[in-house]
């Protein structure tokens, strides 16, 4: 009866080998039911290098899924920078630290000049939580506009603007949803009118600039108009670059560059430290000053020494290994091959953030599990969960793409 | 006119040496006004070992303040564990990982048996945000009781229960405050009555078990009764162990052990990974199950491989180097010497979390700055900010204590 699943089903533990079953059972006892495991047969990873990972039995997998180890698993330069800093000093931002300042200067130089001030956090959730707090204080508004299947994080405040989480806490009554398709400018205009009709002043439009949880759409109509509309209504535009940022789209550092957007606030996270917990909120100075006059913020681990060392090395590797060019070139090749394969209902995306839609969720899930058994890691995505999500570490080579295409062909053949 | 300050005053930049002034100005340009720097003359730390840190000019300081590098700055075992893991693999909790499970089992074994389930986050703020969300979902209540000068973190939800932050966002209308002094059981009973009179059902009493931001009080009357009172009203007790946890008080691992408390939820953070961003929410299984039935939670960096390696090594060092015993022994010695010195209005605390009150905030701040200039790092604390906060890394030795006492005597003499 039951179809294929994206996550391990604890009711099927008996199908696992004894060692895996033992581990799964120990895990369930202490980590509880909110923790899920990818795949019908969970993977126990113990080592990684570049675009490859290995399980406890020594089996190699091609990683076509993980965006956090963005410059490659266990990159030697990032690992060495972290090792050296951990052996030297780890401390917070209430002492002067030149590397933190230099990294902040460098990162801000990649954004539109109006975004000139950074505040470090540990996670994208914290970065969005802080950005929204700044927007609410600076505008005096409370209304927030997000896309229909948005995901911006898991703090209480941010879960309330993340309809993709579902559950009871989504979404708050000060939130209005807009569809990704059609004219985003018109949709945001209508959402502002709905807020105002309820007596709610808009604080912000917050959008993931590649619309990742809405299914990954690289060229949405009316985005520039949407930003203008929220500004006219007294609100701010927060560009959530947690997914598209740091070159994943293969065209510049940020998703907002595709549209020529000039955001009021920008949030970054996941790939920033190649796995180290570091994230940030960047904003126009005036907004941070308004925030600072009315609130306080200090994040003990945000921008701590080892995290900055990891972020510094990650940004250096991204440039030195020309990984943005690689994301564009391999992404274009892979997109073309997927589209030409005839295996998919629709293929879309940009850079190394691609979606390949199948006939049904069931077929997509079966494919993901078949690929895992063949040594290739991907996942499903999209509102209907019928789309293969291909989002590998950025050093993904043309040979890696060919291996993925071969295995996709076999799994779907 | 202006008295001594706890933080660097940007208006006095001209007093700094040129290199420090340049760095301070660069920092202010990119990191903004919300970032403050300790001391009238900021310290640029570049290296640490044990209880000592060094600035860019090579000057050595005794660190009698930092609780995050709890087993000592740049501890070689923690640094080695992080280095090895960073060079091997960093990934999240949706793949099986034996070290994560083993650490979870070990940490939970140190708590009352009813607290049997862990969820990893990156910061104490995230841990408290998640704990409160679980409590609200599990109880159906929304009211929260905290102490008058409580600090539990900086997410929007947790800033709203942190009166010590001040500013516009503190505190929400579903929060009631209780004083630390007097009978906490009676105060909490009255707070519940005030909530109920406003039609608000209590979700939780959340308390830092050493009452750190209220001034550090090790033996508060009526704490056990307070927990019983909130339970009778249908609420839960969240023990915030971010400050007292991991042995700082010198008597067992947790502050709650002083009272024999059995909490419904426990949150931990700061010292957990000796500086690595790792924190956790621990709870009775039933509460996590109720949460999971109605909400979702996944934290990308929470419990990632390098963070677990750091936490594992930190816990091993805490035990192997008998640092809890050291905290008790050196803490008792230091408390006795401080009390016998005649320099203070009041001395209090337990383990290596001590407060020494002076006649005024001005005198306390002058002392902290004088000590910084003499090569000893501490800070001020307490509602009136007139108390020296002494909270060093746990390997703080009797010789370190003697050095601190000598310098205190000179600074105050």
């Amino acid at each position: 009866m039951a179809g294929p699943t994206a996550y391990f089903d604890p009711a099927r533990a008996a199908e696992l080998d004894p060692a895996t079953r033992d581990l799964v059972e120990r895990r369930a006892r202490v980590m509880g039911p909110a923790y899920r495991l990818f795949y019908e047969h969970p993977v126990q990873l113990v080592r990684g290098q570049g675009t490859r990972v290995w399980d406890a039995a020594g089996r190699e997998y091609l990683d076509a899924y993980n965006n956090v180890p963005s410059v490659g698993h266990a990159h030697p330069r990032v690992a060495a920078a972290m090792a050296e800093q951990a052996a030297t000093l780890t401390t917070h931002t209430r002492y002067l630290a030149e590397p933190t300042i230099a990294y902040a200067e460098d990162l801000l130089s990649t954004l539109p000049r109006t975004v000139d001030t950074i505040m470090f956090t540990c996670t994208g959730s914290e970065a969005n939580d802080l950005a929204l707090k700044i927007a609410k204080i600076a505008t005096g508004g409370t209304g927030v506009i997000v896309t229909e299947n948005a995901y911006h994080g898991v703090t209480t405040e941010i879960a309330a603007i993340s309809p993709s989480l579902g559950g009871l806490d989504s979404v708050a009554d000060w939130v209005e949803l807009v569809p990704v398709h059609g004219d985003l400018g018109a949709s945001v205009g209508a959402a502002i009118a709905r807020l105002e009709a309820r007596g709610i002043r808009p604080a912000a439009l917050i959008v993931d600039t590649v619309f990742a949880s809405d299914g990954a759409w690289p060229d949405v109509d009316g985005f520039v108009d949407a930003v203008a509309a929220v500004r006219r209504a007294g609100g701010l535009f927060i560009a959530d670059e947690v997914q598209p940022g740091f070159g994943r789209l293969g065209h510049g550092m940020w998703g907002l560059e595709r549209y020529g957007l000039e955001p009021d606030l920008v949030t970054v996270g996941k790939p920033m430290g190649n796995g180290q917990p570091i994230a940030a909120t960047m904003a126009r100075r005036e907004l941070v000053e308004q925030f600072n006059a009315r609130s306080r913020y200090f994040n003990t681990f945000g921008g701590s020494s080892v995290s900055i060392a990891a972020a510094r090395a990650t940004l250096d590797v991204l440039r030195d290994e020309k990984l943005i060019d690689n994301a564009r070139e391999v992404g274009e090749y892979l997109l073309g091959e997927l589209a030409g394969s005839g295996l998919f209902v629709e293929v879309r995306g940009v850079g190394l953030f691609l979606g390949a839609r199948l006939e049904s969720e069931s077929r997509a899930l079966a494919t993901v599990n078949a690929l895992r058994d063949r040594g290739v890691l991907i996942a499903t995505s999209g509102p209907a969960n019928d789309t293969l999500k291909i989002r590998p570490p950025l050093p993904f080579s043309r040979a890696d793409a060919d291996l993925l295409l071969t295995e996709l062909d076999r799994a779907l053949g």
Side-chain angles (χ1 to χ4, degrees), chain A:
Chain A
M1 284 293 276
T5 54
Y7 297 95
F8 167 68
D9 176 0
R12 292 171 61 186
E15 296 171 24
L16 300 175
D17 67 88
T20 304
R21 190 171 68 196
D22 175 63
L23 213 49
V24 164
E25 287 172 353
R26 281 175 60 197
R27 184 178 184 276
R29 273 196 293 276
V30 289
M31 293 171 67
Y35 275 100
R36 298 186 292 181
L37 286 164
F38 278 145
Y39 306 117
E40 294 180 347
H41 299 102
V43 181
Q44 184 184 356
L45 297 181
V46 297
R47 185 163 72 84
Q49 200 69 48
T51 58
R52 306 301 166 107
V53 285
W54 288 266
D55 71 14
R59 179 162 182 204
E60 181 177 313
Y61 298 81
L62 172 65
D63 185 357
Y65 172 75
N66 284 293
N67 57 340
V68 169
S70 186
V71 301
H73 284 282
H75 194 289
R77 283 177 66 184
V78 180
M82 290 173 65
E84 185 183 343
Q85 190 61 51
T88 304
L89 180 73
T90 306
T91 192
H92 53 74
T93 49
R94 283 178 172 162
Y95 303 111
L96 272 175
E98 200 278 337
T100 310
I101 299 165
Y103 178 76
E105 290 168 339
D106 192 351
L107 190 64
L108 287 165
S109 76
T110 68
L111 281 164
R113 279 177 55 193
T114 48
V115 179
D116 58 0
T117 305
I118 192 166
M119 295 174 76
F120 292 104
T121 66
C122 294
T123 67
S125 293
E126 287 189 331
N128 282 326
D129 195 295
L130 176 58
L132 190 51
K133 189 187 258 194
I134 292 172
K136 286 183 173 180
I137 287 178
T139 63
T142 57
V144 177
I145 301 163
V146 298
T147 56
E148 282 177 345
N149 204 47
Y151 175 79
H152 296 291
V154 289
T155 66
T156 300
E157 174 83 349
I158 297 303
I161 65 163
S162 295
S164 74
L165 278 176
L168 280 190
D169 45 353
S170 291
V171 293
D173 59 9
W174 36 267
V175 177
E176 286 287 345
L177 308 184
V178 291
V180 172
H181 305 297
D183 181 331
L184 195 65
S187 302
V188 166
I192 291 166
R194 292 197 301 276
L195 282 173
E196 290 177 345
R198 296 197 283 127
I200 298 171
R201 286 172 55 194
L205 166 70
I206 175 167
V207 176
D208 168 344
T209 60
V210 75
F211 301 85
S213 60
D214 287 283
W217 302 95
D219 297 294
V220 165
D221 290 337
F223 200 164
V224 171
D225 295 339
V227 171
V230 79
R231 288 216 179 103
R232 274 196 307 276
L236 301 173
F237 170 51
I238 303 171
D240 182 338
E241 292 279 350
V242 171
Q243 290 277 353
F246 291 94
R248 173 149 299 274
L249 307 190
H251 300 266
M253 281 277 282
W254 311 109
L256 57 90
E257 295 178 42
R258 289 184 74 76
Y259 301 90
L261 297 167
E262 296 213 342
D264 299 294
L265 297 113
V266 177
T267 55
V268 294
K270 292 191 194 300
M272 185 172 182
N274 213 42
Q276 179 67 5
I278 180 166
T281 305
M282 293 176 278
R284 292 193 284 110
R285 166 61 55 117
E286 171 198 357
L287 303 176
V288 179
E289 286 172 351
Q290 288 168 354
F291 170 79
N292 192 52
R294 316 249 310 256
S295 191
R296 277 172 52 195
Y297 191 86
F298 174 67
N299 190 312
T300 300
F301 298 139
S304 67
S305 323
V306 170
S307 295
I308 292 292
R312 168 83 275 161
T314 301
L315 187 53
D316 289 345
V317 170
L318 187 73
R319 289 168 173 152
D320 294 350
E321 299 187 5
K322 300 189 191 330
L323 293 178
I324 302 180
D325 290 342
N326 188 70
R328 183 178 61 253
E329 291 160 13
V330 176
E332 281 173 7
Y333 170 71
L334 187 53
L335 186 74
E337 294 295 310
L338 290 167
S341 71
L343 294 167
F344 301 100
V345 175
E346 179 197 6
V347 172
R348 64 170 180 270
V350 61
L352 285 172
F353 202 127
L354 303 178
R357 188 152 69 88
L358 286 162
E359 295 76 13
S360 66
E361 177 179 25
S362 174
R363 187 148 158 82
L365 290 172
T367 304
V368 163
N369 281 294
L371 281 179
R372 174 258 181 263
D373 292 340
R374 304 188 70 85
V376 177
L377 305 181
I378 62 166
T380 54
S381 182
N385 208 33
D386 56 0
T387 301
L388 306 184
K389 178 157 70 174
I390 299 167
R391 196 191 52 179
L394 299 185
F396 206 71
S397 67
R398 189 176 280 238
D400 291 335
D402 284 334
L403 175 55
L404 170 63
L405 291 161
T406 299
E407 295 299 342
L408 270 172
D409 195 55
R410 288 179 183 155
L412 286 163

